[in-house]
């Protein structure tokens, strides 16, 4: 066991915020990141399990041997884990429900959908068992191992799009402007590559500028303990990335639009990966003091050019770029075709609308002409449904007569004659019998 190397207070000028700095672990990118962190935090409250976790190697963790230790943790810890699992299952069910509701399909089996989540045992949604810990470890290990690969592919597509747009822009320039832009581009690449690259020189710069120590008194053991922020005996990925951030901020300025912060982040993560691959012997994603000391004794550690920066690496080949541009061209062609089809549909709908409007106007004109003709003939105008708007004189009396028994078809009492017949007789000088 290595002992901490004492630091002579009189010879150091450590900034106060260095010792008190706390690195907040960033999101792992896993959709169950919060659940994973909460389970780890609860398990570490159990002394027995914490000791087993610290002494276990990566193979014991991956194989599931560590999961069997769950049976020995305290009742309080198990109760808290049960609660966390129930909360996680409820969260997943809520996400599933939201997804189903978005498609307005209530015929989907929630239990079947839960099977797609491999970080817990969905068959037992109430208690946290050894199988749950084993599944969580296996899922996190697998997903984290593939996370960097997925991120690299996304960054490659980002860089190919960026290069595609740059070349398309150069085509719009004259020869003189094109030479100026190319020179500016090469100068920027040189600037981004001009910084210490995971070597002793870089650590000494951190020692001097961040830690405030004399570079001539650089000591690897002291450096390790200074940057083991949580004092757990390891340098984890976040603590490593913190070492590179200061150096990268010298060549990437967020206020300079030509400095791509996406590239800075990729550079930082690639530096972390490089150091992990070279230093992390047992591949547990943690660097011990022994691993750190061995790495600093290697020849590569003394050579500042042992690491190629992002601008010095070939992120993609010309063939990959051509395939990417062909894919973009095909997408643009499909989009153009779809746009043309939509435009045709729009024009057709507009034609139908115009036709209906024209028919409506013609009908209105015909109605107006008919009404005008009626007025000229002295006929009353029609209502909206063709009915008379008012009755001509005498029409109301005729209507009443038709409703009166004397004008109807019913037999009349003796001595009564219809009004029309009586009028006819009077005209001929006849009297009723």
């Amino acid at each position: 066991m290595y002992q901490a190397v004492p630091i002579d207070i009189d010879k150091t000028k450590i900034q106060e915020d260095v010792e008190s700095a706390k690195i907040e672990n960033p999101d792992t990118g896993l959709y169950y990141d919060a659940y994973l962190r909460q389970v780890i935090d609860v398990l570490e409250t159990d002394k027995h399990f914490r000791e087993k976790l610290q002494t276990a190697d990566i193979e014991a963790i991956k194989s599931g041997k560590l999961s069997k230790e769950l049976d020995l943790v305290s009742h309080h810890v198990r109760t808290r884990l049960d609660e966390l699992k129930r909360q996680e299952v409820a969260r997943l069910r809520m996400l599933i429900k939201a997804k189903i509701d978005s498609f307005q399909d209530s015929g989907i089996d929630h239990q079947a959908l839960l099977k797609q989540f491999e970080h817990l045992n969905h068959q037992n949604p109430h208690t946290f068992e050894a199988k749950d810990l084993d599944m969580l470890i296996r899922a996190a290990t697998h997903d984290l191992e593939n996370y960097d690969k997925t991120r690299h592919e996304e960054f490659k597509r980002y860089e190919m799009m960026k290069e595609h747009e740059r070349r398309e822009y150069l085509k719009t320039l004259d020869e003189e402007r094109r030479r100026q832009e190319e020179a500016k581009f090469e100068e920027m690449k040189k600037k981004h590559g001009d910084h210490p690259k995971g070597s002793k020189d870089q650590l000494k710069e951190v020692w001097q500028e961040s830690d405030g120590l004399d570079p001539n008194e650089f000591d690897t053991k002291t450096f390790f303990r200074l940057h083991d922020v949580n004092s757990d005996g390891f340098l984890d990925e976040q603590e490593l990335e913190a070492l590179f951030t200061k150096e990268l901020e010298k060549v990437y300025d967020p206020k300079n639009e030509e400095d791509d912060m996406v590239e800075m982040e990729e550079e930082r993560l690639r530096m972390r990966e490089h150091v992990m691959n070279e230093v992390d012997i047992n591949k547990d994603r943690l660097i011990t003091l022994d691993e750190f000391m061995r790495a600093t004794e290697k020849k590569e550690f003394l050579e500042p050019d042992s690491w190629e920066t992002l601008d010095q690496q070939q992120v993609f080949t010309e063939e990959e770029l051509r395939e990417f541009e062909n894919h973009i061209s095909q997408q643009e062609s499909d989009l153009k075709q779809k746009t043309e089809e939509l435009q045709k549909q729009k024009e057709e709908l507009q034609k139908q609308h115009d036709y209906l409007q024209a028919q409506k106007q013609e009908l209105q004109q015909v109605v107006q002409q008919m009404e005008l003709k009626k007025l000229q003939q002295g006929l009353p105008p029609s209502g909206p449904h063709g009915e008379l708007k008012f009755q001509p004189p005498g029409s109301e009396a005729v209507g009443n007569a038709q409703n009166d028994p004397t004008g109807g078809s019913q037999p009349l009492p003796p001595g009564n004659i219809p009004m029309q017949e009586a009028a006819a007789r009077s005209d001929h000088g006849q009297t009723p019998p």
Side-chain angles (χ1 to χ4, degrees):
M1 178 65 70
Y2 290 97
Q3 299 297 322
V5 178
I7 302 176
D8 189 346
I9 301 300
D10 294 334
K11 295 180 181 180
T12 62
K13 297 179 181 179
I14 303 177
Q15 300 174 6
E16 294 180 1
D17 59 339
V18 171
E19 292 185 353
S20 60
K22 299 296 181 183
I23 297 180
E24 181 179 348
N25 291 333
D27 195 306
T28 60
L30 304 177
Y31 65 89
Y32 51 89
D33 176 79
Y35 175 65
L36 173 64
R37 293 181 184 280
Q38 290 170 342
V39 169
I40 293 174
D41 290 343
V42 171
L43 286 172
E44 287 188 340
T45 62
D46 186 271
K47 182 179 179 182
H48 169 77
F49 193 90
R50 184 172 65 252
E51 291 175 353
K52 289 290 183 180
L53 182 62
Q54 291 176 346
T55 57
D57 57 32
I58 189 64
E59 290 304 320
I61 295 175
K62 287 182 177 180
S63 65
K65 291 181 180 179
L66 185 65
S67 303
K68 298 177 181 178
E69 299 294 330
L70 185 66
D71 295 332
L72 303 177
V73 302
S74 66
H75 175 73
H76 173 73
V77 171
R78 289 297 293 268
T79 301
R80 179 66 182 129
L81 291 173
D82 292 346
E83 182 182 351
L84 287 176
K85 182 178 180 181
R86 287 192 291 269
Q87 292 174 355
E88 178 68 359
V89 171
R91 183 183 73 88
L92 297 177
R93 284 176 172 168
M94 183 177 66
L95 292 175
I96 291 173
K97 185 179 185 303
K99 182 178 180 180
I100 293 174
D101 291 344
S102 67
F103 291 99
Q104 297 182 350
D105 185 357
S106 58
I108 299 178
D109 183 7
H110 285 67
Q111 194 68 14
L113 285 176
L114 276 173
K115 293 180 181 179
Q116 65 183 300
F117 302 114
E118 299 179 350
H119 64 287
L120 50 73
N121 179 17
H122 62 89
Q123 295 178 341
N124 175 18
H126 304 294
T127 58
F128 190 98
E129 306 296 339
K131 184 176 181 180
D132 289 289
L133 182 58
D134 183 45
M135 293 180 69
L136 182 59
I137 292 173
R138 290 177 184 274
T141 302
H142 175 269
D143 293 342
L144 287 173
E145 287 175 350
N146 288 276
Y147 178 73
D148 286 342
K149 180 181 179 182
T150 302
R151 195 199 70 248
H152 286 321
E153 288 299 320
E154 291 176 352
F155 180 74
K156 179 190 288 188
R157 289 193 292 271
Y158 173 82
E159 285 293 288
M160 287 192 292
M161 176 59 78
K162 187 175 177 180
E163 178 63 14
H164 168 71
E165 292 176 348
R166 188 184 75 86
R167 294 185 182 187
E168 290 298 311
Y169 172 68
L170 290 177
K171 291 178 183 178
T172 65
L173 305 178
D174 57 36
E175 189 65 26
E176 180 62 24
R177 286 285 308 281
R178 191 178 299 116
R179 282 198 300 267
Q180 293 176 359
E181 287 294 327
E182 289 286 14
K184 187 177 179 180
F185 178 70
E186 292 300 323
E187 181 182 352
M188 186 62 64
K189 288 176 63 176
K190 183 177 182 301
K191 169 194 167 186
H192 290 162
D194 188 19
H195 64 85
K197 313 169 185 72
S199 65
K200 184 176 181 179
D201 287 345
Q202 179 186 357
L203 300 188
K204 288 179 72 173
E205 280 194 19
V206 175
W207 172 275
Q208 179 181 8
E209 297 178 10
S210 298
D211 301 338
L213 300 175
D214 187 343
N216 296 322
E217 298 180 359
F218 176 77
D219 181 80
T220 51
K221 290 182 181 180
T222 304
F223 184 90
F224 181 93
R225 299 191 185 282
L226 279 173
H227 295 277
D228 176 18
V229 179
N230 58 7
S231 301
D232 62 353
F234 302 97
L235 291 181
D236 58 30
E237 293 179 341
Q238 288 72 43
E239 289 168 336
L240 279 178
E241 290 175 11
L243 297 178
F244 310 136
T245 300
K246 289 290 185 183
E247 296 303 318
L248 291 172
E249 286 176 348
K250 296 178 180 178
V251 291
Y252 286 92
D253 183 1
K255 297 179 181 179
N256 186 355
E257 62 179 13
E258 295 176 344
D259 287 336
D260 192 335
M261 294 298 105
V262 175
E263 292 183 352
M264 173 184 167
E265 178 66 12
E266 179 70 11
E267 182 80 78
R268 187 165 62 90
L269 296 179
R270 284 176 180 247
M271 291 174 73
R272 181 259 293 166
E273 286 178 11
H274 172 72
V275 172
M276 278 292 184
N277 290 334
E278 296 294 324
V279 181
D280 183 20
I281 298 175
N282 63 358
K283 305 304 177 185
D284 62 353
R285 305 175 79 92
L286 296 170
I287 295 179
T288 64
L289 177 58
D290 182 55
E291 290 173 332
F292 187 73
M293 294 295 295
R294 290 186 184 185
T296 58
E297 294 170 359
K298 293 181 180 180
K299 178 182 178 182
E300 292 82 358
F301 180 70
L302 302 176
E303 298 176 353
D305 295 326
S306 61
W307 158 256
E308 290 185 343
T309 65
L310 191 61
D311 290 287
Q312 296 169 327
Q313 297 175 358
Q314 188 176 21
V315 179
F316 53 85
T317 64
E318 283 296 319
E319 182 179 356
E320 289 175 324
L321 180 60
R322 282 195 299 271
E323 291 178 0
F324 180 75
E325 289 180 326
N326 290 337
H327 179 66
I328 292 177
S329 178
Q330 184 61 47
Q331 284 184 323
E332 291 176 346
S333 176
D334 293 343
L335 183 60
K336 182 179 179 181
Q337 181 179 354
K338 185 66 175 177
T339 302
E340 291 174 352
E341 291 175 358
L342 291 173
Q343 182 63 30
K344 288 180 180 179
Q345 292 178 9
K346 180 182 176 181
E347 292 173 356
E348 184 63 29
L349 289 173
Q350 186 62 45
K351 287 180 181 179
Q352 293 179 8
H353 175 75
D354 295 342
Y355 175 73
L356 292 173
Q357 285 294 109
Q359 281 190 323
K360 181 179 177 181
Q361 291 177 359
E362 288 179 4
L363 288 173
Q364 289 175 342
Q365 290 174 358
V366 169
V367 170
Q368 290 174 357
Q369 290 174 0
M370 292 177 63
E371 293 298 329
L372 182 61
K373 196 171 184 180
K374 286 182 179 181
L375 291 173
Q376 290 174 350
Q377 295 176 354
L379 297 175
S382 301
H385 301 292
E387 74 278 4
L388 293 177
K389 288 187 177 180
F390 63 89
Q391 301 293 332
S395 63
E396 185 176 357
V398 172
N400 292 337
Q402 291 176 347
N403 295 328
D404 192 88
T406 58
S409 60
Q410 297 296 326
L412 297 174
N416 291 312
I417 61 173
M419 294 175 61
Q420 296 89 340
E421 185 179 344
R425 289 182 179 182
S426 63
D427 292 338
H428 292 85
Q430 299 179 1
T431 60

